[in-house]
């Protein structure tokens, strides 16, 4: 008698449990090879659905298919505990060998969690959810019988015991690798990697069965041939550029020299390096040149660009796509369009919309990926299985962090340790790419940057050679309001053709835009994160056309424009903020050296409310003091705000000021995220309290709280919520998603929907809910704006009173 893992929706074909377990094992081994832990990840794949080898599950799944008129209670049969419990019994009872005990905890946690998220070993209630499942849970159907069936139908007992022995040996070798990591850090990242490999292997095998996609290419080989082809196309582009008429200008010669240095640097071993090309120096192509050549030399599987804003994703991805002449292999991943509903036993072999969304290909297995800092950090630390599914694919990669200074303060320690793991264990090369390098090796959980890490030589001379602007200090004078700023802008327009104003808050940007529209006889544009990515892309295209045609214009924007957006204005006005933001804003002025020297005015705006923008407020205070220093002494901070000395001083001072925030404080628990994730037993509050209140110590090696940490993790305060907006093609995508049936269609449409997505704060969602501006799709898993809640000028309108048709009326 054979047991069923899944029943295909289209033809009711069965996928047998033994076939599924072996298929997931094979894929998990493939993924585990990145860390030389093929038997550890393979063991997770082999046991994850062992609980389906029961009459209870067989009856449950066949009843659901044969009698759809009598819906079963989804998740009523626990099939994910059995594999973890079996491993616990074999490796964690009697006389326990340390490696096998840890193996049971690491792999067992991944198995019991594969429909939700990793369990806590110890939680805030001084309980062990892990032990509750693998040791204490009694109501597991036919448990002993399922073990016997596993040995009979999947893997003979002696072969299994040998496999476990090989996994334990791999674990021992992993722990012995040279690293500065504590045991708790090693175990945390290893557990998350195993979990990632299992989730992706399980969903990939299930999707292939559902779609009959048996001939798919495996992701286990080098992509040297493809990357070599890309490199040749990039060099052709560089050659074409060198033959242009202005290629001999000083700036273009300097850009070319820095690009050559990146090419030569690619021969270095894998590690963490810095690329500090000044703004407008050609970072994107220079970093791509390094990444492709290094990927070829070191057999990396993919190149991942991590950027702070979706705005730059579209721009950079479009440029790279054009140069490499490839649409199929370059993935843009902006945000998670749908909500992830945690349901511990939801994957029960029956296919519904929720299951199709889970199975949709969303694992960053493309050769080139563009994504955001939020999505990168979510892969390591956020709750749910969709995010962490991508983690294993960040290993054996070249990861370029564009505008790395935008790492949120609260995530600095977590970001640094993720990169240290990728360097020490994940065989990845990490490039910190920015004109304003943050002092990430200056903090407590420091980044282990390689010695001689900088790719560009004589950096101070390069910065001086790139000087195209002068910083004009208006910030230490009288503060501005939007009314006085309007007059100041009008004065500048007497002599300047194009003007960019960057302010710190959306509300002040919108108010100034409305004020300028009524008072200026010139084109005025508005940009903010209230607009979806596609909308901003269209506005930026109009702006670039006007700049190219030397037409008069004014653009008012939030800081989204200052990180990597390729535009060049004659004059920039920047509201006082951190020095890195001032420098990035300066990069939008006279970007290509069109004029000998142009002005960037730094002002203090009295109407900006920075109460909830603590990092901006701290940065503003430090920059203001540096401006005062320069007023009193011309040679202070290297003589100007954009010097290497000024930037080093600023970031070291900034991290000193915000030091208590760097480890992600959790106010509700009075703990830091780092305490939950990788504190040693002697520093772990829950462990110490357990030993005092419930002696002796808990019978487990690991005592950290992975699920609790994930529940509290959010890259940005007040966790934002993604909504799809009915702007342009967004309407058609929403309609198509509502009618989609195939998993492949869901994956394709969800990727397209990212460009028509806006992230809202909970209070904005509540207001839209109250005034009828919000609808849901896909069984409530995707939020959609109604037409009245989106404005063609400002983007999201929480009042839901914009003109519009009746898409959801």
């Amino acid at each position: 008698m054979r047991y069923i893992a899944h029943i295909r929706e289209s033809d009711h074909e069965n996928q047998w449990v033994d076939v599924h377990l072996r298929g997931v094992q094979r894929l998990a081994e493939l993924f585990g090879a990145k860390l030389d832990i093929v038997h550890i990840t393979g063991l997770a794949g082999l046991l994850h659905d062992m609980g389906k080898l029961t009459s209870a599950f067989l009856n449950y799944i066949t009843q659901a298919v044969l009698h759809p008129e009598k819906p079963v209670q989804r998740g009523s049969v626990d099939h994910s505990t059995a594999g973890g419990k079996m491993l616990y019994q074999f490796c964690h009872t009697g006389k326990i060998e340390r490696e096998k005990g840890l193996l049971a905890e690491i792999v067992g946690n991944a198995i019991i969690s594969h429909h939700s998220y990793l369990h806590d070993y110890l939680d805030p209630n001084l309980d062990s959810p892990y032990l509750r499942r693998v040791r204490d849970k009694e109501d597991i159907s036919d448990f002993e019988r399922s073990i016997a069936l596993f040995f009979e139908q999947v893997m003979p007992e002696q072969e299994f015991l040998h496999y476990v022995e090989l996994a334990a040996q791999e674990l021992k070798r992993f722990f012995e690798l040279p690293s500065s990591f504590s045991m708790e850090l090693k175990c945390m990242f290893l557990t998350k990697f195993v979990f990632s490999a299992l989730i992706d292997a399980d969903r990939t095998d299930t999707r292939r069965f559902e779609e009959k996609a048996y001939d798919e290419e495996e992701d286990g080989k080098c992509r040297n041939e493809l990357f070599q082809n890309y490199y040749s196309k990039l060099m052709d582009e560089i050659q074409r550029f060198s033959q242009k008429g202005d290629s001999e200008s000083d700036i273009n010669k300097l850009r070319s020299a820095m690009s050559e240095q990146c090419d030569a640097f690619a021969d270095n071993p894998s590690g963490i390096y810095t690329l500090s090309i000044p703004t407008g120096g050609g970072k994107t192509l220079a970093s791509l040149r390094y990444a492709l050549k290094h990927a070829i030399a070191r057999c990396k599987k993919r190149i991942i660009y991590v950027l702070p804003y979706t705005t730059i994703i579209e721009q950079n991805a479009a440029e790279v796509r054009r140069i490499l002449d490839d649409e199929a292999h370059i993935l843009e991943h902006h945000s998670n369009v749908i909500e992830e509903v945690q349901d511990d036993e939801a994957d029960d072999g029956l296919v519904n919309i929720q299951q199709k969304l889970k199975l949709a290909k969303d694992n960053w297995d493309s050769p080139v990926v563009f994504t955001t800092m939020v999505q990168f950090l979510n892969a390591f630390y956020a709750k749910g299985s969709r995010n962490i599914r991508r983690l294993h694919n960040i290993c054996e990669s070249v990861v370029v962090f564009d505008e790395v200074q935008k790492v949120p303060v609260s995530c600095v320690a977590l970001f640094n340790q993720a990169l240290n793991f990728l360097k020490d264990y994940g065989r990845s090369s990490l490039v910190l790419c920015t004109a304003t390098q943050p002092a990430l090796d200056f903090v407590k959980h420091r980044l282990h940057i390689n010695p001689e890490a900088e790719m560009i030589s004589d950096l101070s001379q390069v910065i001086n050679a790139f000087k195209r602007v002068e910083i004009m200090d208006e910030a230490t004078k009288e503060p501005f309001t939007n009314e006085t700023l309007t007059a100041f802008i009008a004065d500048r327009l007497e002599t300047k053709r194009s003007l960019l104003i960057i302010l710190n808050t959306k509300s002040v940007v919108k108010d100034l835009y409305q004020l300028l529209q009524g008072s200026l006889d010139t084109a005025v544009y508005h940009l903010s994160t209230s607009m979806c990515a596609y909308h901003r892309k269209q506005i930026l295209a109009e702006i670039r056309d006007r700049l190219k045609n030397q037409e008069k214009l004014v653009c008012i924007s939030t800081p989204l424009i200052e990180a990597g957006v390729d535009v060049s204005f004659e004059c920039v006005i920047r509201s006082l903020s951190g020095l890195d933001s001032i420098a990035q804003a300066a990069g939008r002025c006279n970007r290509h050296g069109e004029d000998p020297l142009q002005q960037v005015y730094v002002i203090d705006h009295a109407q900006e409310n920075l109460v909830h923008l603590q990092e901006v407020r701290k940065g503003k205070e430090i920059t203001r003091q540096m401006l005062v220093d320069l007023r009193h002494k011309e040679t202070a901070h290297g003589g100007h705000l954009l010097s290497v000395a000024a930037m080093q001083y600023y970031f070291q001072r900034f991290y000193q000021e915000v030091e208590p925030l760097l480890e992600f404080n959790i106010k509700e628990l009075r703990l830091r995220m780092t305490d939950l994730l990788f504190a040693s037993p002697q520093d772990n509050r829950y462990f110490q309290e357990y030993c005092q209140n419930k002696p002796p110590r808990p019978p487990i090696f690991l005592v950290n709280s992975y699920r609790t940490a994930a529940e509290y993790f959010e890259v940005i305060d007040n966790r934002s919520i993604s909504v799809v907006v009915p702007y342009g093609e967004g309407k058609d995508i929403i309609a198509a998603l509502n009618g989609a049936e195939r998993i492949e269609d869901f994956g394709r449409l969800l990727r397209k929907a990212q460009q028509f997505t806006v992230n809202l704060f909970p209070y904005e969602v509540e207001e839209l809910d109250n005034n009828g501006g919000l609808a849901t799709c896909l069984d409530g898993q995707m939020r959609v704006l109604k037409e009245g809640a989106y404005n063609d000028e400002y983007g999201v309108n929480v009042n839901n009173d914009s003109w519009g048709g009746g898409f959801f009326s």
Side-chain angles (χ1 to χ4, degrees):
M1 180 176 174
R2 297 182 83 181
Y3 292 80
I4 299 171
H6 302 101
I7 299 177
R8 186 154 50 220
E9 183 184 40
S10 61
D11 57 9
H12 285 183
E13 183 74 22
N14 296 331
Q15 185 185 37
W16 306 113
V17 173
D18 58 311
V19 173
H20 178 56
L21 293 183
R22 283 296 201 173
V24 176
Q25 174 203 3
R26 183 177 57 79
L27 283 169
E29 286 178 342
L30 187 70
F31 302 153
K34 297 165 186 170
L35 266 63
D36 288 335
I37 55 165
V38 294
H39 294 92
I40 296 175
T41 51
L43 190 60
L46 200 55
L47 294 176
H48 80 287
D49 270 357
M50 195 197 89
K52 291 184 177 180
L53 291 167
T54 61
S55 298
F57 188 82
L58 182 63
N59 292 336
Y60 164 85
I61 195 170
T62 51
Q63 173 77 11
V65 173
L66 294 175
H67 299 285
E69 75 282 358
K70 299 178 182 177
V72 295
Q73 182 185 348
R74 300 208 65 166
S76 57
V77 179
D78 175 356
H79 66 269
S80 63
T81 298
K85 191 175 182 72
M86 175 181 168
L87 198 57
Y88 182 85
Q89 287 191 357
F90 272 74
C91 298
H92 212 296
T93 54
K95 186 179 179 182
I96 305 170
E97 297 175 34
R98 180 170 174 274
E99 270 77 27
K100 286 187 179 176
L102 281 165
L103 181 71
E105 292 177 17
I106 290 167
V107 176
N109 198 347
I111 291 169
I112 65 174
S113 307
H114 77 273
H115 297 313
S116 53
Y117 192 75
L118 292 164
H119 284 56
D120 289 342
Y121 294 105
L122 269 184
D123 69 12
N125 298 317
L126 307 187
D127 194 4
S128 176
Y130 164 76
L131 285 175
R132 276 209 310 270
R133 288 286 291 275
V134 300
R135 182 191 65 182
D136 302 336
K137 190 167 186 179
E138 299 292 345
D139 58 334
I140 304 174
S141 174
D142 299 332
F143 176 60
E144 297 300 331
R145 172 72 177 146
S146 65
I147 293 176
L149 285 168
F150 175 83
F151 290 143
E152 180 185 311
Q153 297 189 6
V154 183
M155 181 179 278
E157 184 172 1
Q158 289 306 311
E159 185 182 342
F160 174 76
L161 292 174
H162 179 63
Y163 198 92
V164 169
E165 193 65 46
L166 292 173
Q169 291 171 18
E170 284 176 353
L171 188 62
K172 187 172 187 293
R173 287 195 297 272
F174 180 85
F175 289 151
E176 290 172 350
L177 288 171
S179 170
S180 61
F181 273 21
S182 66
M183 178 59 73
E184 288 72 27
L185 259 173
K186 290 178 183 179
C187 289
M188 180 199 73
F189 280 118
L190 179 60
T191 305
K192 291 188 175 227
F193 181 92
V194 173
F195 188 47
S196 172
L198 173 59
I199 294 295
D200 196 17
D202 183 24
R203 293 188 181 176
T204 299
D205 184 76
T206 305
R207 177 182 57 77
R208 288 178 178 180
F209 166 73
E210 190 64 31
E211 294 184 335
K212 305 180 185 179
Y214 303 118
D215 56 348
E216 276 193 6
E217 193 178 309
E218 298 290 9
D219 178 38
K221 62 181 191 307
C222 289
R223 286 175 159 136
N224 274 11
E225 187 177 340
L226 179 66
F227 287 149
Q228 190 69 60
N229 182 19
Y230 285 169
Y231 183 78
S232 297
K233 289 177 178 176
L234 175 61
M235 295 310 294
D236 288 344
E237 173 77 8
I238 290 170
Q239 180 65 27
R240 282 193 295 273
F241 185 79
S242 70
Q243 294 168 355
K244 284 186 177 179
D246 60 350
S247 64
E248 290 303 306
S249 71
D250 290 342
I251 279 186
N252 283 335
K253 283 197 284 188
L254 203 48
R255 284 174 178 151
S256 177
M258 289 188 289
S259 176
E260 294 285 349
Q261 289 180 50
C262 290
D263 191 289
F265 203 90
D267 293 328
N268 282 309
S270 298
I272 302 177
Y273 299 107
T274 59
L275 176 56
S276 306
I277 290 179
T279 305
K283 286 197 302 292
T284 302
L285 294 191
S287 61
L288 181 62
R289 187 171 177 178
Y290 163 84
L292 287 171
K293 189 172 181 186
H294 186 73
I296 295 163
R298 302 288 169 175
C299 199
K300 304 301 183 190
K301 291 187 170 61
R302 63 191 44 81
I303 294 165
I304 302 173
Y305 273 88
V306 179
L307 307 107
Y309 302 125
T310 55
T311 323
I312 340 171
I313 289 183
E314 303 121 35
Q315 172 188 289
N316 290 13
E319 177 72 353
V320 169
R321 220 178 256 118
R322 179 189 66 79
I323 293 168
L324 303 184
D325 189 26
D326 189 346
E327 289 284 336
H329 294 109
I330 298 172
L331 171 70
E332 293 180 50
H333 183 252
H334 300 247
S335 60
N336 290 332
V337 174
I338 58 173
E339 295 284 307
E340 179 156 22
V341 179
Q342 290 199 50
D343 186 352
D344 202 35
E345 293 295 327
D347 178 15
D348 49 16
L350 307 175
V351 178
N352 62 2
I353 285 179
Q354 181 177 323
Q355 185 65 3
K356 287 179 181 179
L357 293 170
K358 279 189 172 185
L359 296 179
K361 199 170 183 181
D362 189 16
N363 58 356
W364 290 0
D365 66 347
S366 299
V368 180
V369 177
F370 284 84
T371 191
T372 63
M373 181 65 73
V374 170
Q375 297 306 321
F376 174 81
L377 288 167
N378 279 351
F380 283 92
Y381 302 111
K383 68 179 180 180
S385 53
R386 181 176 294 113
N387 293 302
I388 201 167
R389 178 182 180 183
R390 304 164 187 137
L391 188 154
H392 76 93
N393 273 332
I394 308 175
C395 296
E396 288 192 330
S397 298
V398 183
V399 190
V400 179
F401 296 91
D402 201 355
E403 310 300 353
V404 71
Q405 78 283 354
K406 296 293 184 183
V407 178
V409 163
S410 62
C411 298
V412 164
L414 300 176
F415 174 79
N416 285 353
Q417 295 294 19
L419 266 64
N420 291 337
F421 163 75
L422 290 170
K423 173 194 174 185
D424 291 351
Y425 297 98
R427 300 171 179 166
S428 290
S429 284
L430 302 314
V431 182
L432 311 182
C433 190
T434 179
T436 53
Q437 287 290 346
L440 296 175
D441 54 346
F442 182 73
V443 298
K444 177 183 171 185
H445 293 279
R446 69 183 189 85
L447 188 64
H448 300 153
I449 299 176
N450 283 50
E452 306 297 323
E454 178 54 52
M455 295 189 191
I456 304 302
S457 56
D458 301 323
L459 200 52
S460 292
Q461 288 183 317
V462 170
I463 289 171
N464 288 332
F466 256 84
K467 189 174 181 182
R468 295 150 297 170
V469 301
E470 54 183 344
I471 305 294
M472 310 299 289
D473 175 16
E474 299 288 332
T476 56
K477 302 175 186 176
E478 283 293 311
F480 281 75
T481 63
N482 272 348
E483 286 72 21
T484 57
L485 182 53
T486 297
F488 188 79
I489 290 166
D491 285 345
R492 302 286 83 72
L493 286 172
E494 293 292 327
T495 55
K496 304 294 182 185
R497 188 170 50 246
S498 58
L499 201 59
L500 171 65
I501 303 99
I502 305 174
L503 306 177
N504 289 317
T505 63
K506 288 193 288 188
S507 59
V508 178
V509 164
K510 182 178 176 181
D511 290 345
L512 179 62
Y513 172 71
Q514 292 173 327
L515 201 57
L516 289 177
Q517 275 192 313
S519 61
L520 291 182
D521 185 22
T522 188
V524 182
Y525 290 92
H526 165 273
L527 286 169
S528 88
T529 51
S530 291
M531 303 154 77
C532 71
Y534 187 80
H535 191 173
R536 295 196 302 266
K537 185 177 176 181
Q538 287 189 311
I539 298 295
L540 282 166
E542 283 188 40
I543 289 170
R544 289 192 180 101
D545 283 344
R546 281 188 171 271
L547 290 170
K548 184 179 179 182
N549 296 331
Q550 299 191 347
E551 297 174 40
K552 204 153 193 167
L553 80 148
V554 174
C555 176
I556 305 103
S557 177
T558 60
L560 71 87
I561 198 171
E562 66 190 17
V565 179
D566 188 8
V567 287
S568 181
F569 288 80
E570 282 191 341
C571 180
V572 169
I573 299 169
R574 180 56 165 101
S575 182
L576 190 60
S577 184
L579 184 56
D580 56 322
S581 293
I582 305 295
Q584 294 297 333
R588 306 319 117 195
C589 183
N590 198 24
R591 186 174 177 84
H592 306 295
E594 299 94 331
D595 302 295
L597 203 63
Q598 290 287 13
Q599 291 74 43
V600 174
Y601 294 91
V602 180
I603 66 167
D604 188 2
H605 201 299
Q607 293 172 302
E608 291 179 341
N609 183 359
L610 304 181
V611 172
H612 300 296
L613 299 173
Q614 189 174 358
E615 296 173 29
V616 176
R617 203 168 66 248
K618 286 283 186 189
K620 178 176 176 176
E621 291 167 6
I622 298 168
T623 306
R624 185 198 300 280
Q625 185 55 53
M626 293 175 73
L627 285 168
V628 171
D629 294 344
L630 281 163
R631 274 188 177 275
H632 291 149
K633 186 179 180 182
E634 288 185 1
T635 57
H637 307 302
H640 61 95
L641 279 186
L642 304 183
S643 70
V644 172
M647 211 55 67
Q648 287 176 340
Y649 172 86
Y650 169 80
F651 274 111
Q652 290 187 9
R653 173 85 184 277
F654 180 71
Y655 287 141
Q656 284 175 340
E657 293 277 334
V658 299
E659 194 272 335
L661 308 176
L662 297 177
E663 297 180 60
F664 203 109
N665 295 327
I666 304 171
K667 294 174 185 174
E668 296 89 335
L669 301 179
R670 293 180 293 109
L671 284 171
R672 298 165 298 191
M673 190 72 71
T674 52
D675 297 325
L676 292 174
L677 289 173
F678 46 82
S680 63
Q682 60 265 31
D683 295 324
N684 187 305
R685 192 174 85 192
Y686 298 151
F687 177 78
Q688 293 300 323
E689 288 178 4
Y690 184 102
C691 292
Q692 289 169 15
N693 299 317
K694 300 181 178 183
R697 62 165 286 158
I700 42 179
F701 293 96
L702 299 174
V703 295
N704 297 97
S705 311
Y706 300 158
R707 180 174 286 199
T708 298
E711 290 288 347
Y712 283 98
F713 180 75
E714 50 190 21
V715 179
I716 305 165
D717 287 343
N718 299 319
R719 185 188 295 276
S720 60
I721 297 160
S722 293
V723 298
V724 181
V725 303
Y727 178 82
E729 194 185 345
K731 298 177 188 178
D732 299 329
I733 292 170
I734 293 165
L737 274 166
N738 270 327
E741 293 187 0
R742 297 189 310 154
I743 295 168
E744 180 184 352
D745 292 335
F746 278 113
R748 176 179 53 80
L749 289 166
L750 288 173
R751 283 192 292 274
K752 288 183 74 173
Q754 291 178 118
Q755 291 214 31
F756 299 89
T757 301
V758 174
N759 293 323
L760 301 179
F761 290 117
Y763 74 86
E764 293 174 306
V765 171
E766 185 179 354
E767 190 168 345
L768 284 161
D769 261 334
N770 291 337
N771 62 35
L774 208 56
T776 60
C777 295
L778 305 178
D779 287 352
Q781 290 193 76
M782 187 175 84
R783 288 184 172 90
V784 178
L785 283 191
K786 295 186 179 180
E787 286 206 47
Y790 197 83
N791 182 283
D792 284 351
E793 284 187 281
Y794 314 117
V796 175
N797 172 15
V798 293
N799 297 320
N800 188 28
D801 57 8
S802 295
W803 182 89
F807 189 68
F808 275 99
S809 300

